[in-house]
Amino acid sequence: MSDLAEVHVQTLGWATVAKVSHIGNVRKENQDNLLIKPWPDGSAILAVVADGMGGGRGGKRAAEITVETFATLLSQPLANSLSDRYQQLWNTLHQADENIRAEGCINPKLAGMGATAVVALITPNEMIHLYAGDSRLYHYRPDEFLYKTADHSVIRMLLEIGRITEEEVATHPMRAVVSSCLGGRDGNGDFSIDPKWNREPSPQRELQVDDLLLLCSDGLHGRLRDSEIQGYLDGYRQWPRKALEALKERALDEGGLDNLTGILIHINA
C-alpha cells in the first residue's frame, strides 16, 4: 500500500472515491490496509478495509494477506446474481482466514496474527457487503437513517444487554476486544461473518445517485458518534475528499490512538 496519510481521490467510472490510511498519533506502525479497485470491465467496484491485529506478531502482514486475497477476485468474472456475488465475498473471506492461518503456521513470528475486515462489492444501483470484526460500513443517504454494520465486539454485546452506556465506550478497557476476526484465534473453529443471506439486516442494499458509502477501521470511527459522522457526510456530501479529510482530522483530534483508515465512495450516476 502506497503512502495514504493524506486523502487521495480518484474517479472510477460512475463513482468518486476518496481514501486515506494514517498511522495515528501513537502507534509506531500502520497495520491497516485497503483496496479499492474496479473490475476490468468497469461494471463493479471492490472495496476492502482490513485492520491488522497482533502487534509484533504480524498484524500488518495479516491485513496485507486479506487485501492480497481479495485482489484475486478481480481476475475472476463478476457473478451475475446477487446471491452468487455474496457467495464470492463469503468464500474470499474464508480464503483470507485460511491464508492468514497458513502463513502463521509457517512463520512462528507471525503466529496468532489476525485482522478485522469489511468488504463491499458495488455496482451503480446496489451493493453487497460483509464484515468480520469491528471494521465498519456506513451507508449514507440524505434525510434517511444512517445505516451502519454492527460490530463483532465485546463492547457491542455489553451495550445490547445494558451493562454499559454509550458514554462509557470510549474508555472501557475491553473496547478493542473483538468477537470475530480473520486468523488470530486458537483452534480451527469457524468465525462469524455478517450480514447473513436472506436475513435482516440484508447484505444487499440498493444505491441511488449521491449516496455515500464509508468503509473504515475502528481507528476512524472509534471516537466519533454516529451523529458526528452523519454530520460530516451531510455537510460535505458532494465533496468526498473534504468529508474524509474532516473525519480523519476529527479522529486525530480525539487522540488518534490507533491507525485509522477509510474509503469514502460517492455514487455519481
Side-chain angles (χ1 to χ4, degrees):
M1 182 177 62
S2 59
D3 181 25
L4 288 174
E6 299 302 321
V7 177
H8 291 229
V9 177
Q10 61 188 131
T11 300
L12 301 177
W14 36 266
T16 299
V17 175
K19 56 186 178 181
V20 69
S21 188
H22 195 287
I23 194 170
N25 296 330
V26 176
R27 299 294 175 90
K28 295 180 179 180
E29 180 181 51
N30 189 351
Q31 297 194 345
D32 287 359
N33 212 314
L34 63 82
L35 172 69
I36 177 76
K37 197 170 182 180
W39 254 261
D41 64 1
S43 61
I45 294 171
L46 179 65
V48 182
V49 167
D51 180 353
M53 302 160 51
R57 295 186 299 166
K60 181 179 177 68
R61 181 62 189 139
E64 288 174 352
I65 292 172
T66 303
V67 165
E68 290 166 2
T69 305
F70 270 94
T72 65
L73 265 184
L74 297 166
S75 63
Q76 303 173 24
L78 179 66
N80 290 322
S81 72
L82 290 176
S83 60
D84 286 345
R85 292 176 188 177
Y86 176 87
Q87 197 63 49
Q88 278 186 311
L89 295 185
W90 180 280
N91 292 344
T92 309
L93 272 172
H94 278 277
Q95 186 62 57
D97 177 64
E98 291 180 13
N99 292 347
I100 291 169
R101 287 172 168 276
E103 191 160 325
C105 289
I106 294 171
N107 187 343
K109 292 182 179 179
L110 301 179
M113 66 178 174
T116 68
V118 57
V119 303
L121 194 164
I122 305 153
T123 62
N125 300 314
E126 60 207 356
M127 72 149 178
I128 299 287
H129 69 296
L130 285 170
Y131 67 96
D134 59 1
S135 291
R136 285 184 191 171
L137 180 143
Y138 294 85
H139 179 194
Y140 166 86
R141 182 175 294 163
D143 303 319
E144 292 195 12
F145 180 76
L146 179 68
Y147 169 83
K148 71 171 181 179
T149 51
D151 299 346
H152 296 138
S153 69
V154 172
I155 285 293
R156 184 174 73 87
M157 290 186 283
L158 292 174
L159 279 170
E160 288 182 349
I161 63 175
R163 291 285 298 277
I164 63 172
T165 65
E166 289 282 357
E167 289 69 27
E168 294 174 296
V169 169
T171 57
H172 198 279
M174 299 190 74
R175 64 179 301 273
V177 179
V178 296
S179 55
S180 176
C181 66
L182 287 70
R185 308 182 310 282
D186 295 328
N188 297 307
D190 195 11
F191 64 103
S192 181
I193 299 174
D194 283 303
K196 303 292 192 294
W197 189 251
N198 284 335
R199 297 189 200 172
E200 290 297 328
S202 173
Q204 183 265 338
R205 294 185 65 84
E206 294 183 359
L207 299 177
Q208 299 177 4
V209 174
D210 284 338
D211 279 8
L212 289 170
L213 301 174
L214 173 65
L215 291 81
C216 58
S217 63
D218 68 321
L220 188 66
H221 71 68
R223 299 220 163 208
L224 280 69
R225 292 179 175 273
D226 292 347
S227 58
E228 289 182 280
I229 292 173
Q230 180 149 5
Y232 285 122
L233 297 181
D234 189 58
Y236 297 114
R237 62 177 179 265
Q238 298 294 332
W239 302 280
R241 180 197 296 273
K242 291 183 179 180
L244 193 55
E245 183 70 31
L247 288 167
K248 181 195 82 169
E249 292 302 322
R250 179 63 175 151
L252 292 173
D253 288 345
E254 286 296 310
L257 302 180
D258 199 355
N259 310 143
L260 54 98
T261 296
I263 299 172
L264 185 59
I265 302 160
H266 178 265
I267 305 300
N268 298 333

mmCIF file of all heavy atoms in Angstrom, residues 158-185:
data_model
loop_
_atom_site.group_PDB
_atom_site.id
_atom_site.type_symbol
_atom_site.label_atom_id
_atom_site.label_comp_id
_atom_site.label_asym_id
_atom_site.label_seq_id
_atom_site.Cartn_x
_atom_site.Cartn_y
_atom_site.Cartn_z
ATOM 1 N N LEU A 158 -22.032 -5.790 25.365
ATOM 2 C CA LEU A 158 -22.299 -5.148 26.664
ATOM 3 C C LEU A 158 -23.329 -4.032 26.523
ATOM 4 O O LEU A 158 -24.192 -3.856 27.395
ATOM 5 C CB LEU A 158 -21.000 -4.603 27.250
ATOM 6 C CG LEU A 158 -19.965 -5.649 27.693
ATOM 7 C CD1 LEU A 158 -18.669 -4.966 28.122
ATOM 8 C CD2 LEU A 158 -20.510 -6.512 28.828
ATOM 9 N N LEU A 159 -23.256 -3.297 25.404
ATOM 10 C CA LEU A 159 -24.244 -2.251 25.149
ATOM 11 C C LEU A 159 -25.638 -2.844 24.977
ATOM 12 O O LEU A 159 -26.618 -2.332 25.517
ATOM 13 C CB LEU A 159 -23.858 -1.446 23.905
ATOM 14 C CG LEU A 159 -22.820 -0.352 24.057
ATOM 15 C CD1 LEU A 159 -22.390 0.156 22.679
ATOM 16 C CD2 LEU A 159 -23.364 0.812 24.883
ATOM 17 N N GLU A 160 -25.725 -3.929 24.232
ATOM 18 C CA GLU A 160 -27.023 -4.521 23.926
ATOM 19 C C GLU A 160 -27.722 -5.066 25.161
ATOM 20 O O GLU A 160 -28.950 -5.053 25.240
ATOM 21 C CB GLU A 160 -26.858 -5.622 22.875
ATOM 22 C CG GLU A 160 -26.555 -5.088 21.485
ATOM 23 C CD GLU A 160 -26.439 -6.194 20.459
ATOM 24 O OE1 GLU A 160 -26.382 -7.376 20.862
ATOM 25 O OE2 GLU A 160 -26.402 -5.879 19.255
ATOM 26 N N ILE A 161 -26.944 -5.549 26.143
ATOM 27 C CA ILE A 161 -27.577 -6.082 27.359
ATOM 28 C C ILE A 161 -27.656 -5.033 28.472
ATOM 29 O O ILE A 161 -28.076 -5.340 29.589
ATOM 30 C CB ILE A 161 -26.837 -7.336 27.863
ATOM 31 C CG1 ILE A 161 -25.395 -7.000 28.273
ATOM 32 C CG2 ILE A 161 -26.877 -8.432 26.822
ATOM 33 C CD1 ILE A 161 -24.656 -8.192 28.901
ATOM 34 N N GLY A 162 -27.261 -3.805 28.136
ATOM 35 C CA GLY A 162 -27.406 -2.710 29.088
ATOM 36 C C GLY A 162 -26.379 -2.668 30.208
ATOM 37 O O GLY A 162 -26.582 -1.983 31.214
ATOM 38 N N ARG A 163 -25.255 -3.350 30.039
ATOM 39 C CA ARG A 163 -24.225 -3.361 31.075
ATOM 40 C C ARG A 163 -23.393 -2.078 31.090
ATOM 41 O O ARG A 163 -22.816 -1.711 32.117
ATOM 42 C CB ARG A 163 -23.298 -4.573 30.881
ATOM 43 C CG ARG A 163 -23.960 -5.906 31.152
ATOM 44 C CD ARG A 163 -24.140 -6.142 32.647
ATOM 45 N NE ARG A 163 -22.848 -6.191 33.342
ATOM 46 C CZ ARG A 163 -22.079 -7.260 33.430
ATOM 47 N NH1 ARG A 163 -22.450 -8.390 32.845
ATOM 48 N NH2 ARG A 163 -20.953 -7.216 34.103
ATOM 49 N N ILE A 164 -23.294 -1.418 29.937
ATOM 50 C CA ILE A 164 -22.567 -0.150 29.856
ATOM 51 C C ILE A 164 -23.393 0.837 29.042
ATOM 52 O O ILE A 164 -24.350 0.450 28.357
ATOM 53 C CB ILE A 164 -21.169 -0.309 29.209
ATOM 54 C CG1 ILE A 164 -21.310 -0.794 27.757
ATOM 55 C CG2 ILE A 164 -20.294 -1.257 30.017
ATOM 56 C CD1 ILE A 164 -19.988 -0.789 26.996
ATOM 57 N N THR A 165 -23.030 2.108 29.107
ATOM 58 C CA THR A 165 -23.696 3.153 28.334
ATOM 59 C C THR A 165 -22.786 3.602 27.196
ATOM 60 O O THR A 165 -21.587 3.318 27.177
ATOM 61 C CB THR A 165 -24.008 4.368 29.217
ATOM 62 O OG1 THR A 165 -22.760 4.961 29.648
ATOM 63 C CG2 THR A 165 -24.822 3.957 30.438
ATOM 64 N N GLU A 166 -23.352 4.322 26.237
ATOM 65 C CA GLU A 166 -22.579 4.851 25.114
ATOM 66 C C GLU A 166 -21.412 5.718 25.607
ATOM 67 O O GLU A 166 -20.337 5.716 25.027
ATOM 68 C CB GLU A 166 -23.477 5.674 24.190
ATOM 69 C CG GLU A 166 -24.468 4.860 23.386
ATOM 70 C CD GLU A 166 -23.834 4.176 22.187
ATOM 71 O OE1 GLU A 166 -22.623 4.399 21.956
ATOM 72 O OE2 GLU A 166 -24.532 3.405 21.504
ATOM 73 N N GLU A 167 -21.656 6.443 26.705
ATOM 74 C CA GLU A 167 -20.625 7.341 27.236
ATOM 75 C C GLU A 167 -19.431 6.582 27.786
ATOM 76 O O GLU A 167 -18.328 7.124 27.880
ATOM 77 C CB GLU A 167 -21.209 8.247 28.329
ATOM 78 C CG GLU A 167 -22.165 9.325 27.823
ATOM 79 C CD GLU A 167 -23.480 8.774 27.295
ATOM 80 O OE1 GLU A 167 -23.906 7.676 27.755
ATOM 81 O OE2 GLU A 167 -24.069 9.420 26.404
ATOM 82 N N GLU A 168 -19.630 5.326 28.161
ATOM 83 C CA GLU A 168 -18.549 4.535 28.746
ATOM 84 C C GLU A 168 -17.702 3.805 27.704
ATOM 85 O O GLU A 168 -16.633 3.277 28.029
ATOM 86 C CB GLU A 168 -19.131 3.505 29.724
ATOM 87 C CG GLU A 168 -19.784 4.105 30.947
ATOM 88 C CD GLU A 168 -20.465 3.058 31.800
ATOM 89 O OE1 GLU A 168 -21.434 2.437 31.310
ATOM 90 O OE2 GLU A 168 -20.019 2.854 32.947
ATOM 91 N N VAL A 169 -18.148 3.801 26.457
ATOM 92 C CA VAL A 169 -17.473 3.014 25.425
ATOM 93 C C VAL A 169 -16.031 3.465 25.213
ATOM 94 O O VAL A 169 -15.102 2.655 25.165
ATOM 95 C CB VAL A 169 -18.248 3.081 24.095
ATOM 96 C CG1 VAL A 169 -17.421 2.499 22.959
ATOM 97 C CG2 VAL A 169 -19.573 2.340 24.223
ATOM 98 N N ALA A 170 -15.818 4.770 25.073
ATOM 99 C CA ALA A 170 -14.504 5.292 24.685
ATOM 100 C C ALA A 170 -13.400 4.930 25.667
ATOM 101 O O ALA A 170 -12.238 4.790 25.276
ATOM 102 C CB ALA A 170 -14.572 6.811 24.512
ATOM 103 N N THR A 171 -13.743 4.749 26.941
ATOM 104 C CA THR A 171 -12.718 4.491 27.955
ATOM 105 C C THR A 171 -12.782 3.078 28.524
ATOM 106 O O THR A 171 -12.025 2.740 29.429
ATOM 107 C CB THR A 171 -12.847 5.499 29.111
ATOM 108 O OG1 THR A 171 -14.170 5.413 29.665
ATOM 109 C CG2 THR A 171 -12.593 6.919 28.614
ATOM 110 N N HIS A 172 -13.677 2.244 27.983
ATOM 111 C CA HIS A 172 -13.826 0.900 28.540
ATOM 112 C C HIS A 172 -12.600 0.048 28.233
ATOM 113 O O HIS A 172 -12.082 0.063 27.103
ATOM 114 C CB HIS A 172 -15.081 0.230 27.968
ATOM 115 C CG HIS A 172 -15.538 -0.946 28.772
ATOM 116 N ND1 HIS A 172 -14.957 -2.196 28.655
ATOM 117 C CD2 HIS A 172 -16.501 -1.078 29.719
ATOM 118 C CE1 HIS A 172 -15.549 -3.034 29.480
ATOM 119 N NE2 HIS A 172 -16.501 -2.385 30.137
ATOM 120 N N PRO A 173 -12.100 -0.711 29.206
ATOM 121 C CA PRO A 173 -10.871 -1.497 28.978
ATOM 122 C C PRO A 173 -11.006 -2.592 27.918
ATOM 123 O O PRO A 173 -9.996 -3.087 27.414
ATOM 124 C CB PRO A 173 -10.594 -2.107 30.359
ATOM 125 C CG PRO A 173 -11.887 -2.046 31.103
ATOM 126 C CD PRO A 173 -12.568 -0.818 30.602
ATOM 127 N N MET A 174 -12.237 -2.958 27.549
ATOM 128 C CA MET A 174 -12.424 -4.021 26.562
ATOM 129 C C MET A 174 -12.902 -3.474 25.214
ATOM 130 O O MET A 174 -13.382 -4.242 24.366
ATOM 131 C CB MET A 174 -13.412 -5.069 27.084
ATOM 132 C CG MET A 174 -12.968 -5.765 28.347
ATOM 133 S SD MET A 174 -13.990 -7.186 28.798
ATOM 134 C CE MET A 174 -13.469 -8.398 27.580
ATOM 135 N N ARG A 175 -12.729 -2.183 25.009
ATOM 136 C CA ARG A 175 -13.270 -1.574 23.795
ATOM 137 C C ARG A 175 -12.616 -2.105 22.522
ATOM 138 O O ARG A 175 -13.186 -2.021 21.443
ATOM 139 C CB ARG A 175 -13.143 -0.047 23.840
ATOM 140 C CG ARG A 175 -11.729 0.495 23.869
ATOM 141 C CD ARG A 175 -11.745 2.025 23.900
ATOM 142 N NE ARG A 175 -12.427 2.565 22.751
ATOM 143 C CZ ARG A 175 -11.829 2.818 21.581
ATOM 144 N NH1 ARG A 175 -10.563 2.558 21.419
ATOM 145 N NH2 ARG A 175 -12.520 3.327 20.586
ATOM 146 N N ALA A 176 -11.416 -2.659 22.614
ATOM 147 C CA ALA A 176 -10.713 -3.149 21.420
ATOM 148 C C ALA A 176 -10.830 -4.660 21.239
ATOM 149 O O ALA A 176 -10.224 -5.221 20.326
ATOM 150 C CB ALA A 176 -9.247 -2.743 21.479
ATOM 151 N N VAL A 177 -11.611 -5.333 22.096
ATOM 152 C CA VAL A 177 -11.701 -6.787 22.030
ATOM 153 C C VAL A 177 -12.818 -7.188 21.058
ATOM 154 O O VAL A 177 -13.979 -6.847 21.257
ATOM 155 C CB VAL A 177 -11.982 -7.388 23.426
ATOM 156 C CG1 VAL A 177 -12.095 -8.907 23.328
ATOM 157 C CG2 VAL A 177 -10.881 -6.993 24.398
ATOM 158 N N VAL A 178 -12.443 -7.922 20.003
ATOM 159 C CA VAL A 178 -13.428 -8.340 19.008
ATOM 160 C C VAL A 178 -13.833 -9.789 19.247
ATOM 161 O O VAL A 178 -13.080 -10.578 19.814
ATOM 162 C CB VAL A 178 -12.895 -8.168 17.568
ATOM 163 C CG1 VAL A 178 -12.638 -6.698 17.270
ATOM 164 C CG2 VAL A 178 -11.642 -8.995 17.335
ATOM 165 N N SER A 179 -15.040 -10.121 18.813
ATOM 166 C CA SER A 179 -15.552 -11.486 18.975
ATOM 167 C C SER A 179 -15.463 -12.284 17.684
ATOM 168 O O SER A 179 -15.846 -13.451 17.650
ATOM 169 C CB SER A 179 -17.006 -11.438 19.462
ATOM 170 O OG SER A 179 -17.808 -10.658 18.589
ATOM 171 N N SER A 180 -14.959 -11.664 16.619
ATOM 172 C CA SER A 180 -14.737 -12.361 15.357
ATOM 173 C C SER A 180 -13.624 -11.662 14.603
ATOM 174 O O SER A 180 -13.522 -10.432 14.638
ATOM 175 C CB SER A 180 -16.005 -12.370 14.501
ATOM 176 O OG SER A 180 -15.761 -12.978 13.244
ATOM 177 N N CYS A 181 -12.786 -12.439 13.931
ATOM 178 C CA CYS A 181 -11.729 -11.862 13.109
ATOM 179 C C CYS A 181 -11.197 -12.932 12.166
ATOM 180 O O CYS A 181 -11.493 -14.120 12.322
ATOM 181 C CB CYS A 181 -10.605 -11.284 13.958
ATOM 182 S SG CYS A 181 -9.670 -12.512 14.899
ATOM 183 N N LEU A 182 -10.394 -12.518 11.200
ATOM 184 C CA LEU A 182 -9.705 -13.449 10.313
ATOM 185 C C LEU A 182 -8.394 -13.829 10.976
ATOM 186 O O LEU A 182 -7.629 -12.953 11.395
ATOM 187 C CB LEU A 182 -9.424 -12.806 8.955
ATOM 188 C CG LEU A 182 -10.616 -12.597 8.006
ATOM 189 C CD1 LEU A 182 -11.545 -11.499 8.520
ATOM 190 C CD2 LEU A 182 -10.123 -12.229 6.619
ATOM 191 N N GLY A 183 -8.113 -15.148 11.083
ATOM 192 C CA GLY A 183 -6.926 -15.583 11.804
ATOM 193 C C GLY A 183 -7.079 -15.214 13.273
ATOM 194 O O GLY A 183 -8.177 -15.030 13.782
ATOM 195 N N GLY A 184 -5.947 -15.145 13.989
ATOM 196 C CA GLY A 184 -5.942 -14.610 15.349
ATOM 197 C C GLY A 184 -6.738 -15.371 16.381
ATOM 198 O O GLY A 184 -7.103 -14.824 17.415
ATOM 199 N N ARG A 185 -7.066 -16.652 16.108
ATOM 200 C CA ARG A 185 -7.871 -17.414 17.052
ATOM 201 C C ARG A 185 -7.191 -18.739 17.346
ATOM 202 O O ARG A 185 -6.474 -19.287 16.496
ATOM 203 C CB ARG A 185 -9.273 -17.687 16.482
ATOM 204 C CG ARG A 185 -9.983 -16.457 15.992
ATOM 205 C CD ARG A 185 -11.382 -16.777 15.473
ATOM 206 N NE ARG A 185 -11.414 -17.873 14.541
ATOM 207 C CZ ARG A 185 -11.053 -17.790 13.264
ATOM 208 N NH1 ARG A 185 -10.553 -16.671 12.787
ATOM 209 N NH2 ARG A 185 -11.145 -18.822 12.456
#
